[in-house]
Amino acid sequence: MAAPARSEATSPTHSDRPTTYKSNLEEYEREGDARYPFLLSYRELKLLGIAGVGFFLDAYDLFVINPVATMLQYRLYGGHSLPPGLEGFIKAGANIGSVIGQFAFGYSADYFGRKAVYGKELMLIIFATIGTLCDPTGFLSPSGSLIWLGVWRIILGIGIGGDYPMSASVATDRANLRRRGTLLSYIFANQGWGSFVGSLATIIILLCYKHTMEVDGKTSKVDGVWRILVGLSLIPAFGTLYQRLTLPESTRYVAARKGNVPVPDEESIEELKKKANADPGVTEKVQPVSTANSESDGTQTPPSDHTEESADAGAKRDAAQLAAAKRSHFREFAHYFSEWRHLKVLIGTCTCWFLLDIAFYGINLNQNVVLQQIGFDGSTGSPWNRLFKIGIGNLIVTALGFVPGYYVTILTIEKLGRKWIQIQGFLMAALFLGILAGKFHTLSTASFIVCFAFLQFFFNFGANTTTYCYPAEVFPTRFRASAHGMSAACGKAGAIISALAFNSLSKKVGTPAVLWIFFACCIAGAAFSLLLPEVRDRDPDIVYAEEQREYERLHGRQH
């Protein structure tokens, strides 16, 4: 199979061409269309298991903090409400930490490499979870216990935030081009399962404590309920830690850092795409198309001292290239986004995620409004009954629209495209937010549940999934994690604003007015989505190589 490449490289017609390198741009074979995109291979399932845990833990944590805060009312304040400032601190702590983690881990993944960083964010999650479990509620004052919890939740958030750019980059670096969006959607869908398992675990643990709390009247034992609920998240975290720490560096990332994918002038970007998609199997190593003259006749030259010296020189050259790439990374990053065609895409991914999370987290961090409407807010009954009702209500909300929306995205993302799904998701979410806002006080319980379920469905069959996929797919490998971290951090900033402002705004202007604000955010999100290109079947590394080639042509002409 190598003979044609050698004859082509040594033919007189092409002898004046520079050496061309064909690198492995993915670690999975680029297969034909025989397999549906949503049918994953064993290796993809393994990658899904490794990368999906972070999003499972993110949603699990987002869910459990609400019942945990309610449980702490009974443990620390005799059933009375938590101080508003401290309650906001423990609920917003993880999101505050996430902003830090997304920036820090995103840049580190591009600068140091995925292998050097991946797994460290999960270690931080484990460390912070153990710190949370050690909250000495019996020895500190109630305020001191909440401050302890809030500080550890900020550290937890740094780890959870770091998982966004890390898992997105690790998965995209290895994904098959035709199934890239599907794999990313599968990974992100773990958010739905995190919420579902969180609500289910709350119900099961409360049932185990029913006799103690309800019959014996030992309400203080709720301290054990919330610790078990938080501690369960350690199981999937420990289960995938080793796999993350030992995951090798992807060939795509190594090739991108070395810059060893020069493109011949004769080949257009469209031809490169066709070749990439038609290639039935890509080798694992970066190999030069041209070979040594000693191999042109098909014979093998026995190893010699000269060969070993050449190998050593090649290794030193590779190390020097990587060191140079690190030194120039920030300069290249700034140069890349100094061009409007790239900056507008980054503005699009950051703004869309920011606007989405204002609405999405504004609804989901304050589900007590929804639970009141469907009669599961836990406002009456014994402490155990109140907690159990809230758990049942959250399970209903999660099952209605949260999980199904993710899987419709998985089934359709490679057919409909990211841009279409994102715009229609924003518009349909705006529609149902408008109905809820306009008819908030007149909707029947059944109508409210239906509208809310459709709202959750179109959040997830829409921008909640695609805002995660877009930064991972639209930017080239060498800037992917940094750009993804920036986009995700903007999203979490929107979540923080919404979480802190929702309650105070609701009291001042009313819940319907706040829902109208969310409606406006979704309309604006649809508008900013127009800045983004469709990325289905688009290889950003090939696009970047083409842009570099054009720049070198223009630069050469000017000089």
Side-chain angles (χ1 to χ4, degrees), residues 329-383:
H329 176 71
F330 183 78
R331 184 178 68 251
E332 292 178 355
F333 179 87
H335 174 73
Y336 180 80
F337 287 107
S338 67
E339 298 183 33
W340 172 245
R341 60 181 172 177
H342 302 142
L343 181 60
K344 74 174 183 179
V345 175
L346 183 62
I347 291 172
T349 58
C350 290
T351 307
C352 288
W353 209 334
F354 174 78
L355 293 168
L356 166 79
D357 278 8
I358 288 177
F360 181 77
Y361 282 93
I363 294 291
N364 288 288
L365 283 177
N366 298 280
Q367 285 190 358
N368 58 311
V369 175
V370 180
L371 297 178
Q372 285 172 6
Q373 293 291 325
I374 64 176
F376 284 93
D377 60 331
S379 56
T380 58
S382 66

Side-chain angles (χ1 to χ4, degrees), residues 176-209:
N176 182 294
L177 189 62
R178 293 194 184 98
R179 294 193 296 278
R180 184 180 60 198
T182 303
L183 181 62
L184 288 169
S185 299
Y186 264 120
I187 290 170
F188 195 71
N190 281 277
Q191 275 198 339
W193 289 112
S195 297
F196 184 80
V197 171
S199 57
L200 195 61
T202 303
I203 294 169
I204 292 171
I205 296 169
L206 281 171
L207 285 173
C208 294
Y209 273 78

Side-chain angles (χ1 to χ4, degrees), residues 69-80:
T70 307
M71 293 173 193
L72 289 173
Q73 292 178 13
Y74 295 103
R75 177 65 181 89
L76 300 174
Y77 291 92
H80 300 292

Side-chain angles (χ1 to χ4, degrees), residues 57-209:
L57 295 176
D58 179 27
Y60 186 90
D61 169 76
L62 173 68
F63 168 80
V64 301
I65 190 56
N66 286 315
V68 166
T70 307
M71 293 173 193
L72 289 173
Q73 292 178 13
Y74 295 103
R75 177 65 181 89
L76 300 174
Y77 291 92
H80 300 292
S81 298
L82 301 179
L86 288 175
E87 184 177 10
F89 177 57
I90 64 171
K91 286 188 176 181
N95 283 329
I96 293 169
S98 289
V99 174
I100 301 169
Q102 284 156 347
F103 273 117
F105 279 90
Y107 185 81
S108 298
D110 283 340
Y111 185 84
F112 296 107
R114 283 46 159 161
K115 178 176 172 55
V117 180
Y118 202 42
K120 310 301 187 295
E121 74 294 330
L122 195 56
M123 293 172 67
L124 200 58
I125 291 172
I126 292 170
F127 178 64
T129 302
I130 293 172
T132 301
L133 293 175
C134 295
D135 189 349
T137 52
F139 298 94
L140 294 178
S141 66
S143 296
S145 296
L146 293 180
I147 292 171
W148 174 290
L149 185 62
V151 170
W152 281 109
R153 281 184 55 76
I154 290 175
I155 299 172
L156 175 71
I158 295 173
I160 289 174
D163 193 77
Y164 275 70
M166 288 305 308
S167 290
S169 301
V170 165
T172 306
D173 289 350
R174 291 167 166 78
N176 182 294
L177 189 62
R178 293 194 184 98
R179 294 193 296 278
R180 184 180 60 198
T182 303
L183 181 62
L184 288 169
S185 299
Y186 264 120
I187 290 170
F188 195 71
N190 281 277
Q191 275 198 339
W193 289 112
S195 297
F196 184 80
V197 171
S199 57
L200 195 61
T202 303
I203 294 169
I204 292 171
I205 296 169
L206 281 171
L207 285 173
C208 294
Y209 273 78

Side-chain angles (χ1 to χ4, degrees), residues 392-473:
I392 293 291
N394 282 314
L395 184 64
I396 293 170
V397 168
T398 303
L400 280 175
F402 220 75
V403 173
Y406 288 115
Y407 284 90
V408 174
T409 304
I410 288 168
L411 294 174
T412 60
I413 192 167
E414 302 297 352
K415 294 293 183 183
L416 300 178
R418 289 65 163 163
K419 192 170 186 175
W420 190 93
I421 291 176
Q422 180 158 309
I423 292 174
Q424 68 83 31
F426 268 129
L427 293 177
M428 293 302 293
L431 171 64
F432 288 104
L433 280 167
I435 294 172
L436 289 173
K439 300 289 185 180
F440 187 79
H441 297 294
T442 57
L443 281 175
S444 65
T445 300
S447 299
F448 187 92
I449 292 173
V450 170
C451 282
F452 185 80
F454 274 113
L455 172 63
Q456 292 283 26
F457 177 83
F458 282 107
F459 269 141
N460 298 309
F461 174 47
N464 191 38
T465 303
T466 54
T467 50
Y468 168 75
C469 295
Y470 249 118
E473 296 189 90

